[in-house]
Amino acid sequence: MSEVALRFKSLFIILFCSCLVLCKEVPNEVEFPKWKIEEKLSAYPFFDRIKSGNNFDIQELAGASSHFLNVSYDLNSPLFSDFMEKERIIFLPKGSQMNYDSEKTFSFPEGSVISKTFRVTEEIRSSRYPTGKRIETRLLIKRGGEWFAVSYLWQEDEKDAKIAYGGAIVRLGTDKNEFDYGVPSRNQCAQCHQVYENEKQTIVPIGPKAKHLNRKIASQNGDQEQLEAWKEAKILVNLPRFGRPKLPNYKDESHTNEERARAYLDINCAHCHQAVASGGINSKLLLNYENSDLTSLGICKQPGSAGKGGGENLKFDIVPGKPEASILVYRMETRNPGAMMPQIGRALTDPLGVGLVKAWIQDLPGQDCR
């Protein structure tokens, strides 16, 4: 072997060994926390600055922990919750990533936390709870490979929030418009979030799906696709270049009545009325946006389990061309606790949502349901 060849061989060996040493010195490890459920919201490390006082932006303070990345996010079509304004944040252990899925909820790493804080809006303010005041924060915490749901009720001074094991009732509104806003108990959280798959009952998040998250957001560089921003930040993997599903914004009047109504039903009803959840299993009514089967969508379908939700002489979930004869409209419109839908998550009627569904049903070609 020539002297030049020997020199190149020696250089290669030195570089290879140096690489091995460096790789060992800088391990790519993620610290996955093992959570315990705290009595106060301020006890969680990502909310440690809550104790410093009120009048703060929860999304700004959420990044105070050095062990977590915080990701604020928004949905194409938001869930109606008695006109409440919501702040949504995902907390990920630093160095970890979400895994994209085109149909189901994204896969999250162990130790992830999804936070949703509810604020009073102008429509439901009261002298005690003015516009902008925080009422509750709900957490979904992934520990031991499963999601744990828990709600926290804010103190009136907003310095902290205490766990609400059995839920809570908060009186909101003014004069004749007063109503009881419900902070859900753990069992009530589970009712909306649970699915049945592979002979197992589990709790899953509702919002973090491709069809809900595929939208533009405001960033320092102008409008940007939300999922693309997550990919660039290296917190989302396996994002396809094409073929990402997208749910319409039901508030966007450029869409048809059908598109808007179906989008509203998807985010507000399909977490329960899907093939793997209790509403879909029991009633056979499937309200997810992708469902194209007219019978399971409710057209001329008699309810599988309506209870008191059938109203007066109503026999079919949807009667094309006749919203006033449709059980679906009645259950969305009524405030009767034994008949209203959804049963958890609202005390008021959403006039926009009801109006969209009525308009869609009115547009359907009339037929005689028997």
Side-chain angles (χ1 to χ4, degrees):
M1 184 178 292
S2 67
E3 183 178 350
V4 174
L6 285 172
R7 287 182 179 178
F8 273 109
K9 183 177 181 180
S10 299
L11 179 60
F12 175 81
I13 293 173
I14 291 171
L15 290 173
F16 180 76
C17 293
S18 299
C19 180
L20 290 177
V21 171
L22 289 172
C23 289
K24 287 183 179 179
E25 289 177 351
V26 188
N28 185 22
E29 295 182 358
V30 179
E31 182 180 344
F32 297 107
K34 296 182 180 179
W35 295 112
K36 74 182 188 74
I37 305 305
E38 304 288 356
E39 295 291 315
K40 293 184 177 181
L41 199 58
S42 60
Y44 293 99
F46 44 85
F47 282 143
D48 54 3
R49 285 185 61 195
I50 288 181
K51 298 175 183 177
S52 65
N54 57 2
N55 296 321
F56 56 82
D57 186 332
I58 195 170
Q59 295 185 16
E60 179 181 321
L61 293 179
S65 170
S66 61
H67 301 291
F68 291 88
L69 294 173
N70 74 91
V71 186
S72 60
Y73 70 101
D74 210 348
L75 309 178
N76 283 315
S77 283
L79 182 74
F80 174 75
S81 303
D82 290 336
F83 301 101
M84 282 284 189
E85 179 186 347
K86 301 168 190 174
E87 298 167 334
R88 303 174 181 87
I89 311 173
I90 294 172
F91 297 94
L92 297 172
K94 277 193 174 179
S96 67
Q97 297 167 316
M98 295 175 282
N99 196 356
Y100 175 90
D101 191 297
S102 62
E103 298 179 0
K104 298 181 180 181
T105 301
F106 291 176
S107 296
F108 285 77
E110 181 73 9
S112 299
V113 178
I114 301 176
S115 166
K116 186 161 62 173
T117 296
F118 294 69
R119 289 178 181 267
V120 174
T121 58
E122 184 68 19
E123 292 94 333
I124 55 174
R125 64 177 176 79
S126 68
S127 57
R128 185 175 180 181
Y129 299 103
T131 301
K133 193 172 187 66
R134 295 177 182 85
I135 298 297
E136 61 160 322
T137 292
R138 302 177 192 175
L139 300 182
L140 279 174
I141 302 173
K142 192 166 187 181
R143 58 177 198 163
E146 296 185 350
W147 290 99
F148 187 94
V150 61
S151 300
Y152 290 84
L153 180 66
W154 283 84
Q155 299 171 177
E156 287 198 39
D157 60 11
E158 293 190 73
K159 290 185 177 180
D160 208 341
K162 294 182 179 180
I163 196 167
Y165 288 108
I169 297 296
V170 180
R171 193 72 173 168
L172 295 174
T174 57
D175 302 326
K176 295 180 180 180
N177 296 320
E178 283 190 329
F179 72 101
D180 290 332
Y181 174 80
V183 176
S185 66
R186 168 161 165 71
N187 287 339
Q188 289 174 320
C189 288
Q191 287 180 47
C192 288
H193 285 272
Q194 66 187 7
V195 296
Y196 304 87
E197 292 185 294
N198 302 319
E199 299 182 352
K200 185 179 179 182
Q201 177 180 322
T202 58
I203 291 177
V204 297
I206 295 172
K209 293 182 178 180
K211 63 182 176 182
H212 299 313
L213 296 168
N214 186 8
R215 54 164 290 158
K216 289 187 176 182
I217 55 172
S219 67
Q220 295 179 347
N221 301 321
D223 287 347
Q224 187 177 12
E225 293 293 336
Q226 184 166 232
L227 296 179
E228 286 289 347
W230 291 6
K231 178 184 177 181
E232 291 178 11
K234 298 182 179 180
I235 60 172
L236 178 65
V237 295
N238 297 322
L239 177 68
R241 187 173 180 182
F242 303 106
R244 305 169 192 166
K246 182 175 183 178
L247 198 70
N249 178 355
Y250 63 76
K251 296 182 180 181
D252 185 348
E253 296 182 1
S254 67
H255 294 289
T256 65
N257 288 335
E258 179 179 10
E259 290 169 338
R260 297 174 69 192
R262 293 292 305 277
Y264 185 91
L265 292 172
D266 186 291
I267 189 62
N268 283 277
C269 310
H271 51 272
C272 190
H273 283 276
Q274 59 171 312
V276 294
S278 60
I281 293 171
N282 295 328
S283 72
K284 311 303 180 187
L285 180 65
L286 308 180
L287 296 176
N288 52 301
Y289 192 82
E290 303 79 16
N291 182 22
S292 59
D293 178 74
L294 297 182
T295 300
S296 61
L297 187 58
I299 306 297
C300 290
K301 173 188 166 302
Q302 291 185 317
S305 57
K308 297 179 181 179
E312 293 293 332
N313 302 316
L314 302 181
K315 297 180 179 180
F316 301 96
D317 290 331
I318 295 176
V319 179
K322 297 181 179 180
E324 72 284 354
S326 301
I327 293 175
L328 179 62
V329 170
Y330 169 74
R331 301 197 77 172
M332 290 178 62
E333 207 162 22
T334 184
R335 294 176 61 181
N336 180 344
M340 64 190 293
M341 280 290 177
Q343 295 177 324
I344 300 169
R346 79 164 178 97
L348 302 178
T349 299
D350 182 7
L352 174 59
V354 172
L356 290 174
V357 173
K358 281 184 175 181
W360 166 52
I361 295 176
Q362 187 69 56
D363 290 345
L364 292 173
Q367 58 179 291
D368 187 13
C369 296
R370 295 179 183 229

